[in-house]
mmCIF file of all heavy atoms in Angstrom:
data_model
loop_
_atom_site.group_PDB
_atom_site.id
_atom_site.type_symbol
_atom_site.label_atom_id
_atom_site.label_comp_id
_atom_site.label_asym_id
_atom_site.label_seq_id
_atom_site.Cartn_x
_atom_site.Cartn_y
_atom_site.Cartn_z
ATOM 1 N N MET A 1 115.113 31.478 158.885
ATOM 2 C CA MET A 1 114.112 30.428 159.031
ATOM 3 C C MET A 1 113.727 29.896 157.655
ATOM 4 O O MET A 1 113.490 30.655 156.721
ATOM 5 C CB MET A 1 112.870 30.973 159.743
ATOM 6 C CG MET A 1 111.816 29.918 160.027
ATOM 7 S SD MET A 1 110.462 30.566 161.039
ATOM 8 C CE MET A 1 111.289 30.758 162.613
ATOM 9 N N LYS A 2 113.679 28.584 157.483
ATOM 10 C CA LYS A 2 113.414 27.981 156.192
ATOM 11 C C LYS A 2 111.951 28.150 155.796
ATOM 12 O O LYS A 2 111.072 28.300 156.626
ATOM 13 C CB LYS A 2 113.754 26.484 156.229
ATOM 14 C CG LYS A 2 115.237 26.204 156.456
ATOM 15 C CD LYS A 2 115.487 24.714 156.502
ATOM 16 C CE LYS A 2 116.941 24.413 156.751
ATOM 17 N NZ LYS A 2 117.196 22.964 156.828
ATOM 18 N N THR A 3 111.711 28.064 154.471
ATOM 19 C CA THR A 3 110.351 28.121 153.965
ATOM 20 C C THR A 3 109.508 27.044 154.628
ATOM 21 O O THR A 3 109.891 25.895 154.699
ATOM 22 C CB THR A 3 110.351 27.892 152.435
ATOM 23 O OG1 THR A 3 111.117 28.921 151.840
ATOM 24 C CG2 THR A 3 108.929 27.894 151.891
ATOM 25 N N GLY A 4 108.368 27.424 155.096
ATOM 26 C CA GLY A 4 107.456 26.458 155.705
ATOM 27 C C GLY A 4 107.505 26.424 157.217
ATOM 28 O O GLY A 4 106.534 26.057 157.857
ATOM 29 N N GLU A 5 108.642 26.821 157.830
ATOM 30 C CA GLU A 5 108.740 26.739 159.283
ATOM 31 C C GLU A 5 107.772 27.700 159.952
ATOM 32 O O GLU A 5 107.124 27.362 160.941
ATOM 33 C CB GLU A 5 110.176 27.021 159.735
ATOM 34 C CG GLU A 5 111.139 25.903 159.405
ATOM 35 C CD GLU A 5 112.538 26.163 159.928
ATOM 36 O OE1 GLU A 5 112.718 27.189 160.599
ATOM 37 O OE2 GLU A 5 113.432 25.349 159.666
ATOM 38 N N LYS A 6 107.669 28.915 159.411
ATOM 39 C CA LYS A 6 106.750 29.886 159.998
ATOM 40 C C LYS A 6 105.312 29.439 159.813
ATOM 41 O O LYS A 6 104.465 29.599 160.685
ATOM 42 C CB LYS A 6 106.977 31.252 159.346
ATOM 43 C CG LYS A 6 106.437 32.410 160.178
ATOM 44 C CD LYS A 6 107.315 32.674 161.397
ATOM 45 C CE LYS A 6 106.867 33.916 162.145
ATOM 46 N NZ LYS A 6 107.729 34.200 163.296
ATOM 47 N N THR A 7 105.028 28.843 158.647
ATOM 48 C CA THR A 7 103.702 28.302 158.388
ATOM 49 C C THR A 7 103.364 27.225 159.403
ATOM 50 O O THR A 7 102.255 27.162 159.921
ATOM 51 C CB THR A 7 103.652 27.705 156.971
ATOM 52 O OG1 THR A 7 103.842 28.756 156.056
ATOM 53 C CG2 THR A 7 102.321 27.033 156.703
ATOM 54 N N TRP A 8 104.348 26.370 159.691
ATOM 55 C CA TRP A 8 104.110 25.292 160.649
ATOM 56 C C TRP A 8 103.838 25.859 162.037
ATOM 57 O O TRP A 8 102.976 25.387 162.762
ATOM 58 C CB TRP A 8 105.320 24.371 160.661
ATOM 59 C CG TRP A 8 105.120 23.137 161.486
ATOM 60 C CD1 TRP A 8 105.899 22.718 162.515
ATOM 61 C CD2 TRP A 8 104.081 22.172 161.354
ATOM 62 N NE1 TRP A 8 105.411 21.556 163.029
ATOM 63 C CE2 TRP A 8 104.299 21.191 162.334
ATOM 64 C CE3 TRP A 8 102.994 22.048 160.507
ATOM 65 C CZ2 TRP A 8 103.464 20.098 162.486
ATOM 66 C CZ3 TRP A 8 102.153 20.954 160.656
ATOM 67 C CH2 TRP A 8 102.405 20.001 161.634
ATOM 68 N N GLU A 9 104.563 26.904 162.437
ATOM 69 C CA GLU A 9 104.308 27.556 163.713
ATOM 70 C C GLU A 9 102.876 28.089 163.757
ATOM 71 O O GLU A 9 102.203 28.015 164.779
ATOM 72 C CB GLU A 9 105.287 28.707 163.927
ATOM 73 C CG GLU A 9 106.707 28.256 164.223
ATOM 74 C CD GLU A 9 107.627 29.439 164.452
ATOM 75 O OE1 GLU A 9 107.135 30.589 164.428
ATOM 76 O OE2 GLU A 9 108.828 29.220 164.653
ATOM 77 N N LEU A 10 102.424 28.638 162.638
ATOM 78 C CA LEU A 10 101.071 29.172 162.568
ATOM 79 C C LEU A 10 100.038 28.077 162.780
ATOM 80 O O LEU A 10 99.097 28.234 163.555
ATOM 81 C CB LEU A 10 100.852 29.828 161.195
ATOM 82 C CG LEU A 10 99.396 30.105 160.813
ATOM 83 C CD1 LEU A 10 98.792 31.102 161.782
ATOM 84 C CD2 LEU A 10 99.330 30.635 159.392
ATOM 85 N N HIS A 11 100.220 26.941 162.094
ATOM 86 C CA HIS A 11 99.249 25.856 162.238
ATOM 87 C C HIS A 11 99.220 25.369 163.682
ATOM 88 O O HIS A 11 98.152 25.112 164.241
ATOM 89 C CB HIS A 11 99.599 24.711 161.298
ATOM 90 C CG HIS A 11 98.502 23.704 161.160
ATOM 91 N ND1 HIS A 11 97.386 23.927 160.403
ATOM 92 C CD2 HIS A 11 98.331 22.488 161.717
ATOM 93 C CE1 HIS A 11 96.583 22.886 160.473
ATOM 94 N NE2 HIS A 11 97.141 21.993 161.276
ATOM 95 N N GLN A 12 100.377 25.253 164.309
ATOM 96 C CA GLN A 12 100.433 24.827 165.703
ATOM 97 C C GLN A 12 99.757 25.854 166.619
ATOM 98 O O GLN A 12 99.113 25.484 167.601
ATOM 99 C CB GLN A 12 101.879 24.598 166.120
ATOM 100 C CG GLN A 12 102.493 23.387 165.451
ATOM 101 C CD GLN A 12 103.915 23.169 165.886
ATOM 102 O OE1 GLN A 12 104.702 24.113 165.974
ATOM 103 N NE2 GLN A 12 104.271 21.933 166.171
ATOM 104 N N PHE A 13 99.907 27.148 166.285
ATOM 105 C CA PHE A 13 99.255 28.191 167.067
ATOM 106 C C PHE A 13 97.742 28.012 167.052
ATOM 107 O O PHE A 13 97.065 28.098 168.078
ATOM 108 C CB PHE A 13 99.632 29.565 166.500
ATOM 109 C CG PHE A 13 98.774 30.703 167.013
ATOM 110 C CD1 PHE A 13 98.948 31.185 168.297
ATOM 111 C CD2 PHE A 13 97.787 31.265 166.214
ATOM 112 C CE1 PHE A 13 98.162 32.223 168.774
ATOM 113 C CE2 PHE A 13 96.993 32.301 166.682
ATOM 114 C CZ PHE A 13 97.181 32.786 167.962
ATOM 115 N N ILE A 14 97.192 27.738 165.870
ATOM 116 C CA ILE A 14 95.744 27.519 165.745
ATOM 117 C C ILE A 14 95.317 26.332 166.600
ATOM 118 O O ILE A 14 94.345 26.399 167.345
ATOM 119 C CB ILE A 14 95.367 27.273 164.275
ATOM 120 C CG1 ILE A 14 95.638 28.523 163.436
ATOM 121 C CG2 ILE A 14 93.896 26.874 164.144
ATOM 122 C CD1 ILE A 14 95.572 28.272 161.951
ATOM 123 N N MET A 15 96.058 25.215 166.488
ATOM 124 C CA MET A 15 95.695 24.008 167.215
ATOM 125 C C MET A 15 95.827 24.202 168.718
ATOM 126 O O MET A 15 94.981 23.746 169.491
ATOM 127 C CB MET A 15 96.571 22.844 166.750
ATOM 128 C CG MET A 15 96.467 22.539 165.273
ATOM 129 S SD MET A 15 94.785 22.115 164.759
ATOM 130 C CE MET A 15 94.554 20.591 165.650
ATOM 131 N N ARG A 16 96.890 24.868 169.155
ATOM 132 C CA ARG A 16 97.076 25.099 170.591
ATOM 133 C C ARG A 16 95.953 25.956 171.153
ATOM 134 O O ARG A 16 95.447 25.702 172.240
ATOM 135 C CB ARG A 16 98.431 25.772 170.853
ATOM 136 C CG ARG A 16 99.626 24.870 170.751
ATOM 137 C CD ARG A 16 100.840 25.509 171.405
ATOM 138 N NE ARG A 16 101.145 26.801 170.838
ATOM 139 C CZ ARG A 16 101.978 26.982 169.814
ATOM 140 N NH1 ARG A 16 102.560 25.953 169.249
ATOM 141 N NH2 ARG A 16 102.216 28.197 169.355
ATOM 142 N N HIS A 17 95.575 26.999 170.423
ATOM 143 C CA HIS A 17 94.519 27.874 170.902
ATOM 144 C C HIS A 17 93.219 27.106 171.060
ATOM 145 O O HIS A 17 92.517 27.243 172.060
ATOM 146 C CB HIS A 17 94.293 29.051 169.946
ATOM 147 C CG HIS A 17 93.229 29.992 170.439
ATOM 148 N ND1 HIS A 17 93.523 31.080 171.230
ATOM 149 C CD2 HIS A 17 91.875 29.986 170.286
ATOM 150 C CE1 HIS A 17 92.392 31.703 171.540
ATOM 151 N NE2 HIS A 17 91.386 31.063 170.972
ATOM 152 N N TYR A 18 92.879 26.265 170.068
ATOM 153 C CA TYR A 18 91.638 25.494 170.164
ATOM 154 C C TYR A 18 91.693 24.537 171.353
ATOM 155 O O TYR A 18 90.729 24.410 172.114
ATOM 156 C CB TYR A 18 91.370 24.701 168.884
ATOM 157 C CG TYR A 18 90.136 23.839 169.021
ATOM 158 C CD1 TYR A 18 88.867 24.397 168.913
ATOM 159 C CD2 TYR A 18 90.241 22.484 169.323
ATOM 160 C CE1 TYR A 18 87.738 23.626 169.090
ATOM 161 C CE2 TYR A 18 89.116 21.708 169.502
ATOM 162 C CZ TYR A 18 87.867 22.276 169.377
ATOM 163 O OH TYR A 18 86.745 21.508 169.560
ATOM 164 N N LYS A 19 92.830 23.863 171.535
ATOM 165 C CA LYS A 19 92.945 22.871 172.600
ATOM 166 C C LYS A 19 92.820 23.514 173.978
ATOM 167 O O LYS A 19 92.172 22.967 174.875
ATOM 168 C CB LYS A 19 94.283 22.145 172.469
ATOM 169 C CG LYS A 19 94.395 20.923 173.375
ATOM 170 C CD LYS A 19 95.661 20.149 173.046
ATOM 171 C CE LYS A 19 95.738 18.872 173.889
ATOM 172 N NZ LYS A 19 96.953 18.092 173.576
ATOM 173 N N LYS A 20 93.412 24.713 174.157
ATOM 174 C CA LYS A 20 93.397 25.376 175.453
ATOM 175 C C LYS A 20 92.132 26.195 175.690
ATOM 176 O O LYS A 20 91.748 26.440 176.830
ATOM 177 C CB LYS A 20 94.618 26.292 175.578
ATOM 178 C CG LYS A 20 95.945 25.548 175.612
ATOM 179 C CD LYS A 20 97.104 26.521 175.710
ATOM 180 C CE LYS A 20 98.441 25.799 175.737
ATOM 181 N NZ LYS A 20 99.573 26.748 175.790
ATOM 182 N N ASN A 21 91.497 26.637 174.607
ATOM 183 C CA ASN A 21 90.348 27.540 174.738
ATOM 184 C C ASN A 21 89.165 27.074 173.891
ATOM 185 O O ASN A 21 88.664 27.812 173.045
ATOM 186 C CB ASN A 21 90.734 28.955 174.308
ATOM 187 C CG ASN A 21 91.939 29.483 175.066
ATOM 188 O OD1 ASN A 21 91.810 29.963 176.178
ATOM 189 N ND2 ASN A 21 93.098 29.384 174.445
ATOM 190 N N PRO A 22 88.693 25.840 174.076
ATOM 191 C CA PRO A 22 87.610 25.345 173.216
ATOM 192 C C PRO A 22 86.322 26.139 173.369
ATOM 193 O O PRO A 22 85.491 26.169 172.465
ATOM 194 C CB PRO A 22 87.426 23.900 173.691
ATOM 195 C CG PRO A 22 87.915 23.918 175.107
ATOM 196 C CD PRO A 22 89.066 24.872 175.114
ATOM 197 N N GLN A 23 86.127 26.787 174.523
ATOM 198 C CA GLN A 23 84.900 27.555 174.733
ATOM 199 C C GLN A 23 85.064 29.014 174.347
ATOM 200 O O GLN A 23 84.134 29.804 174.463
ATOM 201 C CB GLN A 23 84.473 27.437 176.205
ATOM 202 C CG GLN A 23 84.146 25.995 176.608
ATOM 203 C CD GLN A 23 83.731 25.898 178.061
ATOM 204 O OE1 GLN A 23 83.661 26.891 178.770
ATOM 205 N NE2 GLN A 23 83.466 24.678 178.506
ATOM 206 N N ASN A 24 86.252 29.366 173.872
ATOM 207 C CA ASN A 24 86.498 30.747 173.478
ATOM 208 C C ASN A 24 87.371 30.793 172.225
ATOM 209 O O ASN A 24 88.494 31.271 172.243
ATOM 210 C CB ASN A 24 87.183 31.505 174.620
ATOM 211 C CG ASN A 24 87.357 32.985 174.300
ATOM 212 O OD1 ASN A 24 86.546 33.578 173.600
ATOM 213 N ND2 ASN A 24 88.440 33.566 174.793
ATOM 214 N N PRO A 25 86.845 30.283 171.092
ATOM 215 C CA PRO A 25 87.632 30.303 169.855
ATOM 216 C C PRO A 25 87.938 31.723 169.418
ATOM 217 O O PRO A 25 87.283 32.680 169.839
ATOM 218 C CB PRO A 25 86.701 29.608 168.851
ATOM 219 C CG PRO A 25 85.728 28.849 169.680
ATOM 220 C CD PRO A 25 85.543 29.649 170.920
ATOM 221 N N ILE A 26 88.957 31.868 168.566
ATOM 222 C CA ILE A 26 89.301 33.169 168.023
ATOM 223 C C ILE A 26 88.143 33.654 167.168
ATOM 224 O O ILE A 26 87.739 32.995 166.228
ATOM 225 C CB ILE A 26 90.574 33.074 167.163
ATOM 226 C CG1 ILE A 26 91.727 32.535 168.001
ATOM 227 C CG2 ILE A 26 90.930 34.424 166.564
ATOM 228 C CD1 ILE A 26 92.932 32.136 167.186
ATOM 229 N N LYS A 27 87.590 34.806 167.505
ATOM 230 C CA LYS A 27 86.423 35.314 166.795
ATOM 231 C C LYS A 27 86.769 36.462 165.851
ATOM 232 O O LYS A 27 86.127 36.661 164.835
ATOM 233 C CB LYS A 27 85.365 35.794 167.799
ATOM 234 C CG LYS A 27 84.860 34.688 168.728
ATOM 235 C CD LYS A 27 83.890 35.258 169.745
ATOM 236 C CE LYS A 27 83.429 34.189 170.730
ATOM 237 N NZ LYS A 27 82.508 34.744 171.744
ATOM 238 N N ASN A 28 87.798 37.232 166.221
ATOM 239 C CA ASN A 28 88.104 38.453 165.492
ATOM 240 C C ASN A 28 89.143 38.149 164.423
ATOM 241 O O ASN A 28 90.333 38.072 164.699
ATOM 242 C CB ASN A 28 88.625 39.519 166.459
ATOM 243 C CG ASN A 28 88.808 40.864 165.782
ATOM 244 O OD1 ASN A 28 88.995 40.930 164.574
ATOM 245 N ND2 ASN A 28 88.740 41.919 166.568
ATOM 246 N N PHE A 29 88.685 37.981 163.176
ATOM 247 C CA PHE A 29 89.600 37.572 162.127
ATOM 248 C C PHE A 29 90.646 38.636 161.847
ATOM 249 O O PHE A 29 91.779 38.333 161.517
ATOM 250 C CB PHE A 29 88.837 37.240 160.847
ATOM 251 C CG PHE A 29 89.745 36.900 159.699
ATOM 252 C CD1 PHE A 29 90.486 35.728 159.718
ATOM 253 C CD2 PHE A 29 89.903 37.758 158.633
ATOM 254 C CE1 PHE A 29 91.348 35.429 158.681
ATOM 255 C CE2 PHE A 29 90.757 37.459 157.595
ATOM 256 C CZ PHE A 29 91.476 36.298 157.614
ATOM 257 N N SER A 30 90.298 39.905 161.936
ATOM 258 C CA SER A 30 91.270 40.949 161.625
ATOM 259 C C SER A 30 92.446 40.900 162.603
ATOM 260 O O SER A 30 93.591 41.062 162.218
ATOM 261 C CB SER A 30 90.610 42.335 161.659
ATOM 262 O OG SER A 30 90.083 42.608 162.939
ATOM 263 N N PHE A 31 92.153 40.625 163.886
ATOM 264 C CA PHE A 31 93.232 40.475 164.877
ATOM 265 C C PHE A 31 94.093 39.269 164.527
ATOM 266 O O PHE A 31 95.309 39.322 164.519
ATOM 267 C CB PHE A 31 92.642 40.306 166.275
ATOM 268 C CG PHE A 31 93.635 39.774 167.276
ATOM 269 C CD1 PHE A 31 94.588 40.612 167.843
ATOM 270 C CD2 PHE A 31 93.630 38.440 167.650
ATOM 271 C CE1 PHE A 31 95.516 40.115 168.752
ATOM 272 C CE2 PHE A 31 94.545 37.949 168.549
ATOM 273 C CZ PHE A 31 95.490 38.781 169.105
ATOM 274 N N PHE A 32 93.432 38.181 164.200
ATOM 275 C CA PHE A 32 94.134 36.948 163.883
ATOM 276 C C PHE A 32 94.999 37.147 162.646
ATOM 277 O O PHE A 32 96.151 36.749 162.597
ATOM 278 C CB PHE A 32 93.109 35.841 163.649
ATOM 279 C CG PHE A 32 93.707 34.491 163.380
ATOM 280 C CD1 PHE A 32 94.458 33.847 164.347
ATOM 281 C CD2 PHE A 32 93.512 33.875 162.162
ATOM 282 C CE1 PHE A 32 94.993 32.599 164.111
ATOM 283 C CE2 PHE A 32 94.044 32.626 161.917
ATOM 284 C CZ PHE A 32 94.785 31.985 162.888
ATOM 285 N N LYS A 33 94.458 37.823 161.630
ATOM 286 C CA LYS A 33 95.203 38.052 160.405
ATOM 287 C C LYS A 33 96.424 38.919 160.671
ATOM 288 O O LYS A 33 97.513 38.646 160.171
ATOM 289 C CB LYS A 33 94.293 38.720 159.369
ATOM 290 C CG LYS A 33 94.968 38.929 158.015
ATOM 291 C CD LYS A 33 93.988 39.477 156.979
ATOM 292 C CE LYS A 33 93.517 40.859 157.342
ATOM 293 N NZ LYS A 33 92.690 41.465 156.277
ATOM 294 N N ASP A 34 96.270 39.971 161.482
ATOM 295 C CA ASP A 34 97.393 40.841 161.804
ATOM 296 C C ASP A 34 98.511 40.063 162.491
ATOM 297 O O ASP A 34 99.685 40.336 162.299
ATOM 298 C CB ASP A 34 96.948 41.981 162.714
ATOM 299 C CG ASP A 34 96.052 42.971 161.985
ATOM 300 O OD1 ASP A 34 96.035 42.937 160.740
ATOM 301 O OD2 ASP A 34 95.374 43.755 162.670
ATOM 302 N N LYS A 35 98.106 39.087 163.279
ATOM 303 C CA LYS A 35 99.076 38.329 164.053
ATOM 304 C C LYS A 35 99.938 37.437 163.157
ATOM 305 O O LYS A 35 101.078 37.143 163.461
ATOM 306 C CB LYS A 35 98.340 37.467 165.084
ATOM 307 C CG LYS A 35 99.222 36.916 166.194
ATOM 308 C CD LYS A 35 98.349 36.249 167.231
ATOM 309 C CE LYS A 35 99.147 35.796 168.435
ATOM 310 N NZ LYS A 35 99.725 36.877 169.200
ATOM 311 N N ILE A 36 99.398 37.021 162.011
ATOM 312 C CA ILE A 36 100.104 36.049 161.190
ATOM 313 C C ILE A 36 100.546 36.578 159.829
ATOM 314 O O ILE A 36 101.440 36.032 159.230
ATOM 315 C CB ILE A 36 99.223 34.807 160.938
ATOM 316 C CG1 ILE A 36 98.016 35.191 160.071
ATOM 317 C CG2 ILE A 36 98.807 34.158 162.236
ATOM 318 C CD1 ILE A 36 97.219 34.002 159.588
ATOM 319 N N GLU A 37 99.925 37.642 159.354
ATOM 320 C CA GLU A 37 100.091 37.986 157.949
ATOM 321 C C GLU A 37 101.529 38.313 157.579
ATOM 322 O O GLU A 37 102.044 37.851 156.574
ATOM 323 C CB GLU A 37 99.190 39.151 157.582
ATOM 324 C CG GLU A 37 99.124 39.409 156.094
ATOM 325 C CD GLU A 37 98.057 40.417 155.764
ATOM 326 O OE1 GLU A 37 98.167 41.561 156.234
ATOM 327 O OE2 GLU A 37 97.123 40.071 155.036
ATOM 328 N N SER A 38 102.227 39.083 158.403
ATOM 329 C CA SER A 38 103.576 39.503 158.050
ATOM 330 C C SER A 38 104.537 38.327 157.998
ATOM 331 O O SER A 38 105.494 38.326 157.241
ATOM 332 C CB SER A 38 104.083 40.535 159.055
ATOM 333 O OG SER A 38 104.120 39.970 160.356
ATOM 334 N N GLY A 39 104.259 37.287 158.810
ATOM 335 C CA GLY A 39 105.181 36.161 158.850
ATOM 336 C C GLY A 39 104.874 35.075 157.853
ATOM 337 O O GLY A 39 105.731 34.253 157.552
ATOM 338 N N VAL A 40 103.642 35.047 157.327
ATOM 339 C CA VAL A 40 103.278 33.899 156.520
ATOM 340 C C VAL A 40 102.706 34.274 155.162
ATOM 341 O O VAL A 40 103.220 33.897 154.127
ATOM 342 C CB VAL A 40 102.249 33.017 157.274
ATOM 343 C CG1 VAL A 40 101.840 31.842 156.391
ATOM 344 C CG2 VAL A 40 102.835 32.527 158.577
ATOM 345 N N LYS A 41 101.667 35.068 155.171
ATOM 346 C CA LYS A 41 100.883 35.216 153.951
ATOM 347 C C LYS A 41 101.694 35.732 152.777
ATOM 348 O O LYS A 41 101.539 35.274 151.648
ATOM 349 C CB LYS A 41 99.693 36.137 154.208
ATOM 350 C CG LYS A 41 98.738 36.227 153.021
ATOM 351 C CD LYS A 41 97.520 37.051 153.360
ATOM 352 C CE LYS A 41 96.577 37.135 152.171
ATOM 353 N NZ LYS A 41 95.413 37.992 152.455
ATOM 354 N N HIS A 42 102.582 36.686 153.008
ATOM 355 C CA HIS A 42 103.285 37.309 151.902
ATOM 356 C C HIS A 42 104.708 36.790 151.725
ATOM 357 O O HIS A 42 105.380 37.183 150.801
ATOM 358 C CB HIS A 42 103.324 38.829 152.104
ATOM 359 C CG HIS A 42 101.975 39.448 152.169
ATOM 360 N ND1 HIS A 42 101.031 39.259 151.206
ATOM 361 C CD2 HIS A 42 101.388 40.237 153.103
ATOM 362 C CE1 HIS A 42 99.919 39.928 151.519
ATOM 363 N NE2 HIS A 42 100.129 40.513 152.667
ATOM 364 N N THR A 43 105.160 35.908 152.598
ATOM 365 C CA THR A 43 106.543 35.469 152.548
ATOM 366 C C THR A 43 106.677 33.983 152.268
ATOM 367 O O THR A 43 107.587 33.553 151.589
ATOM 368 C CB THR A 43 107.250 35.783 153.892
ATOM 369 O OG1 THR A 43 107.040 37.165 154.198
ATOM 370 C CG2 THR A 43 108.731 35.484 153.809
ATOM 371 N N TYR A 44 105.742 33.207 152.768
ATOM 372 C CA TYR A 44 105.873 31.764 152.690
ATOM 373 C C TYR A 44 104.832 31.151 151.755
ATOM 374 O O TYR A 44 103.946 31.826 151.256
ATOM 375 C CB TYR A 44 105.793 31.160 154.094
ATOM 376 C CG TYR A 44 106.954 31.605 154.930
ATOM 377 C CD1 TYR A 44 106.861 32.732 155.744
ATOM 378 C CD2 TYR A 44 108.166 30.928 154.867
ATOM 379 C CE1 TYR A 44 107.953 33.160 156.482
ATOM 380 C CE2 TYR A 44 109.254 31.354 155.607
ATOM 381 C CZ TYR A 44 109.140 32.460 156.415
ATOM 382 O OH TYR A 44 110.219 32.883 157.136
ATOM 383 N N LYS A 45 104.954 29.875 151.517
ATOM 384 C CA LYS A 45 104.181 29.230 150.467
ATOM 385 C C LYS A 45 102.794 28.772 150.888
ATOM 386 O O LYS A 45 101.992 28.375 150.053
ATOM 387 C CB LYS A 45 104.966 28.027 149.932
ATOM 388 C CG LYS A 45 106.235 28.430 149.178
ATOM 389 C CD LYS A 45 106.925 27.216 148.609
ATOM 390 C CE LYS A 45 108.159 27.612 147.830
ATOM 391 N NZ LYS A 45 108.857 26.438 147.271
#
């Protein structure tokens, strides 16, 4: 997967979650971070 593609998936994940669950935003940052950190934070730009 090219640089940036995983980041783009992450941004879309955030937007999809908000659109589908506006009354129940992601509250638990540690869960959210675990879900994305290995794919984005330490590998991509």
Side-chain angles (χ1 to χ4, degrees):
M1 184 173 289
K2 295 179 181 179
T3 299
E5 288 183 3
K6 200 73 174 182
T7 296
W8 187 236
E9 288 181 3
L10 164 63
H11 193 76
Q12 291 181 316
F13 166 75
I14 295 168
M15 301 301 295
R16 284 196 303 269
H17 182 91
Y18 176 78
K19 190 172 184 179
K20 294 179 180 178
N21 305 278
Q23 298 180 1
N24 185 32
I26 302 168
K27 299 176 183 179
N28 187 335
F29 176 69
S30 61
F31 164 78
F32 183 64
K33 183 175 65 174
D34 290 344
K35 196 172 186 66
I36 67 171
E37 190 171 62
S38 61
V40 178
K41 186 175 180 183
H42 300 307
T43 308
Y44 295 93
K45 292 183 178 180

